[in-house]
Amino acid sequence: MESVKKKEKEKEINLNNPRLYINRELSWLEFNRRVLEEAEDLNNPLLERLKFIAIFFTNLDEFFMIRVAGLKQMVSANINKPSFDGLTPKEQLKRITQKTKQLLRETELQYKKLTSELKKESIYIHKYSELPKNLKKKADKYFEEFVYPVLTPLAVDLTHPFPHLPSLSFNIIVEMISEDLKFGVIPIPKVLPRFIKLKEKEKEEHYLYLEDLIIHHIEKLFPNQEIRSIATFRVTRDADIIIQEDEADDLLEEIEKGLRKRRFGKPVRLEINGGSEFIFNFLKDELEIKDYDIYKLEVPLNLSDLWSLYKEIDRPDLKFSPYVPYYPPQFNIDIFNALKSHEFILFPPYESFDPIVELIEEAAEDPNVLAIKQTLYRVGKNSPIVEALSKAAQKGKEVTAVVEIKARFDEESNIVWAKRLEEEGVHVIYGIPGLKTHAKLLMIVRKEENGIKRYVHLGTGNYNVETAKIYSDVSYLTSLPEIGEDVSKIFNVLTGYFHPPNLSKLFISPVNLKSKILEMIEEETKLGKEGRIIAKMNSLVDPDVIRALYKASQEGVKIDLIVRGICCLRPGIKGVSENIRVISIVGKYLEHARIFYFKADGEEKIFISSADWMPRNFHRRIETLVPIENFQLKRKLRDILEIQLRDTAKARILMPDGSYIRPKERNFNSQEYFEKWVRQIK
């Protein structure tokens, strides 16, 4: 009888109906709106709010360079096939434009409010015309000594074509009244600070926009010319690199070529402030873009540069209180001894990332360590981990680094230190053709009294000591033989010839990670109202997984999802997803961990993973799904999930229409709570 009812239910509701899904790109824009909300939140310190505006614009730049550029490529290729939410590429672009312009209007208002509030704190971001006389003199002197010598004014006339400007370059355009010279372009040099510090009094800080100083002295750059109009503008270009790996003899060389092409890809966006209609139409024609690709702003462009101002201003009272990550006392002794008999879950940035760095550094020095193998996706500049791997190779150990040089926007950095590692004798492997290596794996092989022992780290985040201070991630440290054996097999696959390895504990993409997730959801679905799923991730996009969650909800399974960014699932739809709740937490720390909990008929199965629930993670990347079986570690992960589900201060609740609302009472901040909690747990 129950199976008959189930079949009737499936006939009634078509889970392939596009209306049941939120568009990926529009969901991402909603995420960036939540970032903007942090700039508006009066509970955040003033300079932190300014920083969130910088994050908003940095995010938007990447979105246009990759996602919008990709949609434009589809339109150019006459691809009209709708995504699983029912929108064609052209329809998506139209809605993206509308939503982005709305968000920019909100951001302009917020930026003006923040600069006004900064004045109350004796921090002034001036236009040149607002400067008092004594500061104008300082500014003029700075222009003569530092700015003027590095500027390159570019004429645009019959003999001087419009310059080919790199993506995200910031420029001034000048319209002149002249038969010979109509326009001039001045690239604003990156080597100079965007905000020029002009200090008048000890308790006051005065800054001037670099472009405003240049504009005031524009006659010196185009002497004897009558200037009609001036604007600042910025071009965003398609930055997606398509690497023909099968044809590339040297992947490293191919990536480097791609990076050079990225700087001059096809324009996808023009941002402009000021100027005449003549300038507007001139840029539009030269860049060959449409009106809907042009964004007129009333505030200074390139506000991602507010990062530099945030770092420059030394006002601890206007920033988050500094937090020192908790260093678990278990690691005060020899790390290898600690790992011989215990497994550990670390929770950066609340708990220190240092034990992982120290483990690699000790392995480099330890004469009993025979080999170190590690995947590297994003490690940052001046990495102590890269230094330790170099040292280990110098000392004669077998060191292997699987470097993902296709890590978007980190390719150039990764190439530099990958070459350096090769010079030091490290075996540098550039992954598997057609797949990005996104798994976070470290294995240390050590000779001990009873034979060879493997020490392993698996994580949800990158081996980057800087982002480990602000990204919330999970690290698992163990010397369990079964895990070590599996990790060893995965490394053999990465460095040798790809074939599906026979693993006893771990699951990997693109082999069986997705099928394991679907299997676990199906098990809960069979339990009906006794089922329970809690999943924390960055993004939820995969339609097969979403349909499986809908089916589980239809059977009464209670599902809580903590999804920081994109979520294509619509919760709260009667008969489909009324048992699903989705929250997004955006705050002081970037929520980056992937933790999946399944009740499993009381057995409680918990996994951590490098993978979000997205098609790219399931099919086009090497990813890991790691079962955590130790009772205490499972309890710690379950507590992390439960604490985040209680958040009312930084959590937003996803509504069926794709919008997010905040709880009425905002009295519990999970991120603040974790700072104390990690010091109390045993």
Side-chain angles (χ1 to χ4, degrees):
M1 190 69 179
E2 285 184 13
S3 62
V4 172
K5 286 182 180 178
K6 187 176 179 182
K7 285 179 181 176
E8 287 176 357
K9 192 186 292 181
E10 288 175 354
K11 282 182 182 178
E12 288 171 15
I13 300 171
N14 175 16
L15 295 183
N16 293 313
N17 187 337
R19 293 182 181 181
L20 297 180
Y21 302 90
I22 299 168
N23 177 262
R24 173 197 165 122
E25 317 308 342
L26 299 181
S27 180
W28 184 92
L29 285 169
E30 280 297 320
F31 160 67
N32 217 25
R33 182 194 295 278
R34 298 194 291 280
V35 172
L36 180 58
E37 284 177 0
E38 290 301 302
E40 298 166 350
D41 192 336
L42 298 177
N43 292 315
N44 288 329
L46 186 55
L47 287 175
E48 300 294 344
R49 291 165 61 197
L50 199 71
K51 184 184 75 177
F52 277 110
I53 286 187
I55 295 170
F56 171 89
F57 279 102
T58 303
N59 288 348
L60 204 59
D61 286 345
E62 185 172 334
F63 178 69
F64 270 84
M65 286 190 288
I66 302 300
R67 302 304 307 176
V68 173
L71 288 169
K72 283 182 171 293
Q73 286 178 16
M74 293 172 77
V75 171
S76 297
N78 294 316
I79 297 172
N80 298 313
K81 184 182 177 182
S83 51
F84 62 88
D85 53 84
L87 295 179
T88 65
K90 195 172 284 188
E91 288 169 334
Q92 291 181 65
L93 285 171
K94 184 179 178 181
R95 294 201 191 183
I96 286 167
T97 301
Q98 292 169 345
K99 196 163 216 175
T100 301
K101 290 189 174 179
Q102 177 195 344
L103 282 173
L104 287 172
R105 297 291 83 82
E106 293 174 25
T107 313
E108 287 177 332
L109 289 171
Q110 190 54 38
Y111 179 71
K112 289 172 183 176
K113 284 181 186 176
L114 283 173
T115 50
S116 178
E117 289 181 49
L118 284 169
K119 287 179 183 177
K120 296 174 186 176
E121 296 291 343
S122 301
I123 300 170
Y124 302 89
I125 307 174
H126 295 285
K127 292 183 178 178
Y128 186 91
S129 58
E130 300 169 345
L131 287 171
K133 282 185 180 179
N134 60 329
L135 291 186
K136 277 184 180 177
K137 285 182 181 178
K138 283 187 178 182
D140 293 341
K141 185 180 179 185
Y142 182 87
F143 178 83
E144 293 295 339
E145 291 182 0
F146 297 101
V147 182
Y148 184 67
V150 299
L151 293 177
T152 306
L154 304 170
V156 181
D157 56 23
L158 292 174
T159 58
H160 298 87
F162 186 77
H164 201 61
L165 302 166
S167 185
L168 302 184
S169 63
F170 189 23
N171 309 278
I172 297 168
I173 184 167
V174 182
E175 177 193 350
M176 286 165 275
I177 304 172
S178 168
E179 289 184 8
D180 301 322
L181 189 61
K182 295 290 185 187
F183 293 100
V185 173
I186 307 161
I188 298 172
K190 291 181 180 179
V191 293
L192 297 174
R194 172 71 185 288
F195 298 96
I196 302 161
K197 191 169 186 178
L198 305 166
K199 206 165 186 180
E200 185 185 19
K201 297 177 182 177
E202 278 190 23
K203 293 184 179 178
E204 293 182 358
E205 297 200 57
H206 295 264
Y207 294 90
L208 174 65
Y209 294 106
L210 174 59
E211 67 270 26
D212 210 40
L213 180 61
I214 297 169
I215 288 169
H216 178 75
H217 293 90
I218 207 79
E219 289 85 0
K220 292 184 179 180
L221 300 165
F222 296 100
N224 305 317
Q225 297 292 332
E226 189 177 348
I227 293 168
R228 175 181 284 165
S229 182
I230 301 174
T232 54
F233 73 99
R234 198 165 171 258
V235 183
T236 308
R237 298 180 181 275
D238 183 342
D240 212 2
I241 300 175
I242 300 173
I243 302 297
Q244 303 296 334
E245 292 184 66
D246 292 339
E247 298 175 14
D249 293 329
D250 189 327
L251 184 58
L252 206 63
E253 185 181 334
E254 195 71 9
I255 291 281
E256 288 174 323
K257 284 180 187 175
L259 287 171
R260 289 192 289 273
K261 289 177 184 176
R262 172 185 280 173
R263 296 177 67 240
F264 299 108
K266 192 174 180 182
V268 295
R269 177 182 61 162
L270 169 66
E271 297 167 279
I272 187 166
N273 181 316
S276 63
E277 279 298 309
F278 194 39
I279 285 178
F280 179 87
N281 289 322
F282 172 73
L283 289 174
K284 177 180 155 186
D285 291 342
E286 285 292 337
L287 296 168
E288 298 180 345
I289 58 176
K290 307 293 184 185
D291 284 345
Y292 52 76
D293 297 321
I294 302 173
Y295 294 81
K296 295 182 178 180
L297 277 78
E298 296 177 1
V299 295
L301 306 183
N302 206 22
L303 286 180
S304 53
D305 280 345
L306 288 170
W307 268 108
S308 63
L309 192 65
Y310 171 85
K311 292 174 183 176
E312 167 77 22
I313 299 174
D314 186 20
R315 287 287 300 272
D317 57 313
L318 300 180
K319 297 182 180 181
F320 288 130
S321 300
Y323 173 73
V324 179
Y326 176 63
Y327 189 96
Q330 299 95 317
F331 295 106
N332 286 327
I333 60 168
D334 177 77
I335 291 180
F336 289 115
N337 281 334
L339 288 175
K340 276 180 187 177
S341 53
H342 293 87
E343 301 171 78
F344 297 94
I345 286 286
L346 289 178
F347 188 29
Y350 310 103
E351 292 178 305
S352 177
F353 190 72
D354 288 350
I356 296 154
V357 178
E358 290 164 6
L359 176 64
I360 302 169
E361 289 175 337
E362 284 191 27
E365 296 286 352
D366 189 336
N368 292 319
V369 168
L370 305 177
I372 304 172
K373 298 186 180 185
Q374 188 168 15
T375 60
L376 297 170
Y377 193 73
R378 304 184 198 273
V379 296
K381 296 177 180 177
N382 304 316
S383 169
I385 289 173
V386 171
E387 289 293 330
L389 294 176
S390 296
K391 186 176 285 187
Q394 290 167 12
K395 288 182 174 290
K397 302 181 193 305
E398 286 294 314
V399 182
T400 303
V402 181
V403 178
E404 185 44 77
I405 52 172
K406 291 172 287 182
R408 191 169 282 155
F409 301 117
D410 274 296
E411 299 99 338
E412 199 162 355
S413 170
N414 287 6
I415 286 170
V416 170
W417 55 256
K419 285 181 174 179
R420 187 187 149 201
L421 285 174
E422 283 185 323
E423 289 169 2
E424 298 290 353
V426 174
H427 302 298
V428 178
I429 309 297
Y430 297 112
I432 295 167
L435 297 170
K436 275 189 180 180
T437 303
H438 193 250
K440 311 306 187 298
L441 304 169
L442 165 67
M443 182 178 71
I444 296 165
V445 181
R446 193 169 186 260
K447 180 177 65 176
E448 299 185 353
E449 287 181 10
N450 297 324
I452 296 295
K453 195 169 185 68
R454 298 181 181 95
Y455 295 86
V456 169
H457 168 265
L458 302 103
T460 66
N462 299 305
Y463 292 104
N464 186 318
V465 294
E466 293 305 316
T467 58
K469 296 172 186 174
I470 53 173
Y471 283 26
S472 168
D473 272 303
V474 172
S475 283
Y476 174 47
L477 290 156
T478 183
S479 62
L480 285 177
E482 306 97 311
I483 300 290
E485 181 68 27
D486 278 1
V487 171
S488 186
K489 288 178 181 178
I490 294 172
F491 272 113
N492 289 343
V493 161
L494 293 174
T495 60
Y497 185 78
F498 184 80
H499 57 89
N502 184 20
L503 305 178
S504 62
K505 291 289 183 182
L506 306 184
F507 302 88
I508 64 167
S509 288
V511 181
N512 58 1
L513 194 156
K514 179 178 178 178
S515 60
K516 182 62 179 178
I517 294 295
L518 290 172
E519 176 192 314
M520 295 306 301
I521 296 171
E522 175 62 23
E523 282 185 20
E524 299 303 308
T525 305
K526 290 174 183 175
L527 294 170
K529 292 181 180 179
E530 297 300 313
R532 181 81 170 103
I533 298 171
I534 309 172
K536 174 177 170 58
M537 67 199 84
N538 297 331
S539 300
L540 171 55
V541 176
D542 190 85
D544 295 329
V545 171
I546 294 173
R547 277 189 287 272
L549 291 169
Y550 283 158
K551 289 175 183 176
S553 172
Q554 288 176 324
E555 296 302 321
V557 179
K558 186 183 177 187
I559 302 168
D560 278 302
L561 304 173
I562 307 165
V563 186
R564 185 195 81 220
I566 303 163
C567 182
C568 297
L569 177 149
R570 291 189 190 273
I573 299 173
K574 190 175 180 181
V576 177
S577 57
E578 55 200 317
N579 291 309
I580 303 176
R581 175 175 177 254
V582 181
I583 65 168
S584 169
I585 296 173
V586 178
K588 176 181 177 181
Y589 301 114
L590 184 101
E591 297 291 336
H592 195 250
R594 290 94 168 183
I595 309 170
F596 311 135
Y597 167 90
F598 302 92
K599 190 176 179 182
D601 203 17
E603 186 183 341
E604 294 197 324
K605 293 182 179 179
I606 299 186
F607 303 83
I608 66 167
S609 182
S610 60
D612 290 315
W613 290 353
M614 302 177 75
R616 71 179 188 190
N617 300 86
F618 290 148
H619 304 296
R620 301 191 296 277
R621 292 185 172 191
I622 303 291
E623 305 272 17
T624 53
L625 178 69
V626 185
I628 305 299
E629 297 177 343
N630 177 283
F631 174 77
Q632 286 185 317
L633 303 188
K634 284 168 70 172
R635 186 177 65 180
K636 183 174 182 177
L637 292 171
R638 172 68 189 266
D639 286 348
I640 289 170
L641 294 174
E642 293 288 2
I643 289 165
Q644 291 226 291
L645 290 175
R646 288 163 46 199
D647 196 303
T648 54
K650 295 301 176 184
R652 283 79 164 173
I653 304 163
L654 177 58
M655 306 306 290
D657 65 356
S659 65
Y660 287 76
I661 63 168
R662 302 191 79 158
K664 290 180 181 178
E665 293 186 9
R666 303 179 193 172
N667 53 13
F668 182 72
N669 185 325
S670 61
Q671 294 189 343
E672 287 181 358
Y673 184 82
F674 283 135
E675 291 181 345
K676 303 178 184 71
W677 177 75
V678 292
R679 287 164 163 78
Q680 298 165 357
I681 58 174
K682 294 180 181 179

